[in-house]
Amino acid sequence: MNNTNVSIPEAHAVTPIDHRTYLIGGKLKSWEGDVASVYSSIRSPQSDGSLAPTLLGTVPDMDEASALAALAAADKAYNKGQGKWPTMKVADRIACMERFVDLMKIEREKVVKLLMWEIGKNLADSEKEFDRTVDYIVDTIDAYKDLDRGSAKFLKDGGVHAHVRRGPLGIVLCLGPYNYPLNETFALLIPAIMMGNTAVFKPAKHGVLLIAPLLEAFQQSFPSGVVNVVFGRGRTIASPIMKTGLVDVLALIGHSSSAISLQDLHPYKNRLRLVLGLEAKNPAIILPDANMDQTVAECISGTLSFNGQRCTALKIVYVHEDVKDEFLNKFSEAVDALQVGMPWDNTLLTPLPEPGKPSYIKELIDDATSKGASVINKRGGEMSDNYCFPAVLYPVNSDMRVYEEEQFGPVIPVISFTDIQEPLNDMSESSYGQQVSLFGKDVSKLAPLIDSLVNLVCRVNLNSSCQRGPDVYPFTGRKNSAVSTLSVHDALRSFSIRTFVASKDNPTNNEILENLMASKKSKFISTDYLL
Ligand code: G3H
């Protein structure tokens, strides 16, 4: 990667941003304390002619007091469920969200450019991440209208009238991952606030500056304290917030170790709801009758889109012994043909944003080769400061680190099998349970396999790689891979609780209900149809 990044096209050039602004209690304030430098792993020419990581700017390195001030603002805005936001009419909350998405769209270019520089995501995928997030918000608004329409009525059973709706849970601490610093964070934050909760949001480790252009949109769209955005380290910001016991929902996409340590800090665990998207080790299972060209193409995108840095990436490949040679030959050839380039070159492979990642991938390769695996493809394991060319490792076994660890990077372990029970046993013993890709045609073989696989993971992809989208479908996992379900539809439910008004069927109560509806004095009791 060192030689290709000397010349940076003018359209994609960046100048360092000294970002100081944060959002607490509806006020955009300027941070005067310590700052943290943000570097891109993309290297730029220095004055002495050498190449070094590009300085993108600085962000506030905020402290515990700021974290607690953000929490206090969220607490005040929620005001034990009596705040303006949690008691606001659904139509009014939707109007705030519509304003936000309109303002957000204006910032597309800045956010896309920072996505490329901060995390090395290619241009097409960076644009897709932004546009998909906008669509997600628009779809969430529609789904909330639908939900509201379904609640705009009274039920009657056992002599009791009931007006049932979904209400907010309280204060949400929202933490997203570096690989989708916009999309996955907003896929938590947006439904959380849509349902009337208030939030403290800390951007991910990488992909921080790209949140800066959106701060004004948050400030101008929502009442004070509904969204509070602070910058800093997880330990300094999130830990003291959890210790207060004021957080009602921990919404995190990342590693289970972070989720567990944050949960452990909460003094009232039974009161803490969890919405978690965690690590995975999605297998591909290739049966003897699989269409090999299609399988290879899907395994390339499945294992290596964004260099394998996706929770849904295929992270282990099981191939039937009968087609092992054909698969390994075609797959290795396809991997070696991949181009490595800058994000704006739109190559599949781009610089890795985490400085330690190339050496970690090398450790996995060295460990596997010391225990009997070989690097099958010619270019596998070629290294530079910010990249390691994808290595196809075969034969892999359970003694190797790459068998168990979620590599989240460009290395592909392959295992061959003769009995389908072998991958099934491995999957049932695995700590993960998100998705699987199943390649084959024979329905008599596929049917019983599907029936087992759906109980080991939460999505079985037939002859295609694993993925989260389309966002209307449920995104979840078993074991260490998730808690709660996310999708446009499900997230609104994950961040809310059913709550209702009940009234015995008698003349006095019925008259009260009629007056409540006619006067429109309650924001909760409403049979209005939202268009
Ligand atoms: O990192 C995990 C993401 O949810 C994956 O989403 O399948 O759309 O890339 P994707």
Side-chain angles (χ1 to χ4, degrees):
M1 292 303 302
N2 284 339
N3 304 330
T4 49
N5 47 23
V6 178
S7 98
I8 291 154
E10 208 181 308
H12 302 297
V14 272
T15 43
I17 303 163
D18 177 27
H19 178 75
R20 298 266 168 176
T21 313
Y22 61 97
L23 177 62
I24 291 185
K27 295 202 169 57
L28 289 169
K29 301 182 184 178
S30 181
W31 175 248
E32 302 301 336
D34 293 345
V35 295
S37 298
V38 179
Y39 281 95
S40 171
S41 70
I42 298 171
R43 291 157 145 66
S44 299
Q46 309 296 296
S47 47
D48 63 359
S50 65
L51 288 171
T54 310
L55 179 66
L56 298 178
T58 55
V59 287
D61 189 9
M62 296 172 75
D63 52 15
E64 178 171 337
S66 316
L68 295 177
L71 179 67
D75 190 30
K76 188 170 168 207
Y78 193 67
N79 188 22
K80 316 279 180 244
Q82 295 161 57
K84 184 175 171 187
W85 186 247
T87 58
M88 194 180 263
K89 274 187 165 178
V90 170
D92 294 339
R93 277 212 295 265
I94 286 176
C96 294
M97 194 60 84
E98 284 171 340
R99 178 166 170 70
F100 175 74
V101 77
D102 284 344
L103 293 173
M104 175 179 168
K105 283 187 216 161
I106 300 169
E107 306 299 332
R108 182 177 188 267
E109 204 179 313
K110 286 185 210 153
V111 175
V112 166
K113 184 185 268 195
L114 285 164
L115 269 168
M116 289 194 288
W117 277 95
E118 286 195 87
I119 62 164
K121 188 169 278 192
N122 75 28
L123 176 60
D125 285 348
S126 296
E127 288 173 338
K128 190 165 143 204
E129 175 159 354
F130 190 93
D131 298 340
R132 175 180 176 182
T133 308
V134 166
D135 290 346
Y136 190 93
I137 301 174
V138 172
D139 291 347
T140 296
I141 291 170
D142 284 344
Y144 192 29
K145 284 183 183 170
D146 248 4
L147 188 63
D148 189 75
R149 289 179 198 124
S151 316
K153 64 185 179 201
F154 275 82
L155 308 171
K156 188 181 171 193
D157 198 13
V160 178
H161 292 287
H163 185 62
V164 186
R165 287 184 172 278
R166 297 201 75 94
L169 294 163
I171 299 170
V172 180
L173 175 61
C174 182
L175 305 166
Y178 84 79
N179 65 332
Y180 279 92
L182 182 74
N183 181 263
E184 296 228 282
T185 314
F186 278 36
L188 298 172
L189 182 65
I190 296 298
I193 53 179
M194 189 76 272
M195 294 310 292
N197 303 287
T198 61
V200 176
F201 156 40
K202 186 196 86 65
K205 185 172 59 168
H206 304 288
V208 188
L209 275 169
L210 62 89
I211 297 299
L214 303 174
L215 289 184
E216 267 185 39
F218 279 124
Q219 195 251 348
Q220 289 174 18
S221 309
F222 300 106
S224 310
V226 172
V227 181
N228 303 279
V229 187
V230 283
F231 297 85
R233 286 157 196 237
R235 232 171 268 154
T236 317
I237 302 290
S239 302
I241 289 179
M242 289 303 286
K243 279 186 198 160
T244 63
L246 287 174
V247 172
D248 298 288
V249 186
L250 173 63
L252 176 148
I253 297 196
H255 202 271
S256 57
S257 56
S258 321
I260 291 165
S261 49
L262 286 172
Q263 269 170 265
D264 282 347
L265 296 172
H266 199 289
Y268 319 113
K269 290 186 184 44
N270 58 310
R271 278 164 43 178
L272 180 68
R273 291 262 184 142
L274 300 172
V275 180
L276 309 175
L278 305 171
E279 63 271 24
K281 190 93 180 169
N282 293 342
I285 300 178
I286 304 168
L287 302 177
D289 64 341
N291 174 324
M292 199 47 81
D293 292 337
Q294 183 191 12
T295 301
V296 166
E298 290 290 331
C299 285
I300 288 287
S301 66
T303 54
L304 292 174
S305 291
F306 193 35
N307 315 292
Q309 302 167 114
R310 295 161 58 231
C311 62
T312 47
L314 290 173
K315 299 198 180 95
I316 193 153
V317 177
Y318 289 90
V319 58
H320 194 278
E321 190 63 33
D322 290 354
V323 287
K324 172 199 74 186
D325 292 335
E326 185 188 0
F327 173 76
L328 283 174
N329 289 339
K330 289 188 169 171
F331 186 66
S332 302
E333 207 174 294
V335 171
D336 281 341
L338 293 172
Q339 300 293 313
V340 185
M342 290 294 109
W344 41 88
D345 298 330
N346 265 331
T347 49
L348 196 72
L349 308 176
T350 48
L352 299 169
E354 293 178 290
K357 193 48 92 52
S359 57
Y360 170 67
I361 298 293
K362 185 172 181 327
E363 273 178 32
L364 293 182
I365 296 172
D366 291 348
D367 172 74
T369 50
S370 75
K371 293 172 181 163
S374 300
V375 176
I376 299 294
N377 57 321
K378 292 196 189 87
R379 299 178 65 193
E382 281 174 10
M383 302 280 300
S384 73
D385 290 341
N386 58 3
Y387 203 68
C388 171
F389 195 85
V392 183
L393 287 171
Y394 177 83
V396 163
N397 64 47
S398 58
D399 295 333
M400 301 170 186
R401 286 175 59 191
V402 73
Y403 172 87
E404 178 68 28
E405 294 177 27
E406 186 196 35
Q407 64 268 41
F408 221 75
V411 57
I412 307 134
V414 182
I415 298 179
S416 60
F417 67 92
T418 44
D419 180 351
I420 190 61
Q421 204 53 46
E422 296 167 39
L424 290 180
N425 288 347
D426 287 356
M427 285 176 71
S428 61
E429 278 159 27
S430 153
S431 314
Y432 314 103
Q434 192 197 63
Q435 301 188 19
V436 65
S437 290
L438 182 57
F439 296 94
K441 289 198 273 287
D442 181 350
V443 170
S444 66
K445 296 273 182 340
L446 291 175
L449 255 180
I450 290 170
D451 293 351
S452 300
L453 289 169
V454 288
N455 293 339
L456 291 171
V457 294
C458 288
R459 175 166 164 165
V460 177
N461 299 278
L462 284 178
N463 294 309
S464 60
S465 59
C466 298
Q467 61 176 44
R468 175 179 174 145
D471 288 324
V472 293
Y473 292 139
F475 177 56
T476 186
R478 299 170 188 271
K479 299 188 264 188
N480 284 7
S481 290
V483 178
S484 287
T485 302
L486 293 170
S487 76
V488 170
H489 169 93
D490 292 299
L492 293 174
R493 285 154 181 84
S494 297
F495 285 105
S496 62
I497 188 164
R498 300 225 297 166
T499 180
F500 69 107
V501 176
S503 135
K504 280 192 181 155
D505 181 24
N506 62 47
T508 315
N509 280 352
N510 292 354
E511 194 184 334
I512 293 172
L513 286 186
E514 271 162 20
N515 286 339
L516 276 167
M517 281 186 282
S519 68
K520 297 189 187 292
K521 282 189 175 152
S522 164
K523 292 170 197 149
F524 184 88
I525 295 182
S526 165
T527 51
D528 290 354
Y529 187 88
L530 270 188
L531 290 175

